Amino acid sequence: MQTERMVEFAESYKGEARVSVEDLTWREGTVVQRITHAMVRGINTYIVEDTEEARLQFPYPIQVIEGPLMEGMNVVGDLFGAGKMFLPQVVKSARS
């Protein structure tokens, strides 16, 4: 009897499902901005497309590492140094 009341009570509080909308406005930036944003946020969804785009912009692939990827890691390092990122986030950024 008590269980039935609890179920009825719980069902009366059903809400509508929340739909999560991903904000992709950061994808409108330059490839360097996108790579940096992805590294800071630990997003690896677009990393293949973005690094390939960056590779096509430079004569040598090593320049992608020395350019946009190092810029992104410098931002991550600065945020870590300022206490705005913690070690697990930095590791996740490095893996991205």
Side-chain angles (χ1 to χ4, degrees):
M1 192 77 168
Q2 183 71 14
T3 306
E4 289 176 17
R5 283 191 221 164
M6 290 189 336
V7 170
E8 287 175 18
F9 178 77
E11 294 214 3
S12 69
Y13 280 93
K14 281 186 179 177
E16 293 185 25
R18 292 185 183 176
V19 177
S20 177
V21 177
E22 188 177 3
D23 179 16
L24 295 177
T25 56
W26 65 276
R27 299 289 306 149
E28 298 169 5
T30 66
V31 70
V32 174
Q33 292 169 332
R34 293 191 316 260
I35 289 173
T36 299
H37 179 87
M39 292 178 85
V40 168
R41 303 281 186 219
I43 302 168
N44 61 8
T45 307
Y46 306 98
I47 197 67
V48 172
E49 298 90 34
D50 289 346
T51 53
E52 179 61 15
E53 182 180 333
R55 187 188 66 80
L56 295 173
Q57 291 181 10
F58 294 96
Y60 301 102
I62 189 72
Q63 291 174 315
V64 175
I65 296 169
E66 293 172 342
L69 295 176
M70 282 306 294
E71 275 189 49
M73 286 310 295
N74 285 335
V75 171
V76 168
D78 291 343
L79 290 171
F80 179 69
K84 295 181 180 178
M85 283 186 89
F86 299 101
L87 190 57
Q89 295 166 309
V90 173
V91 171
K92 184 176 180 181
S93 295
R95 287 183 180 166
S96 298

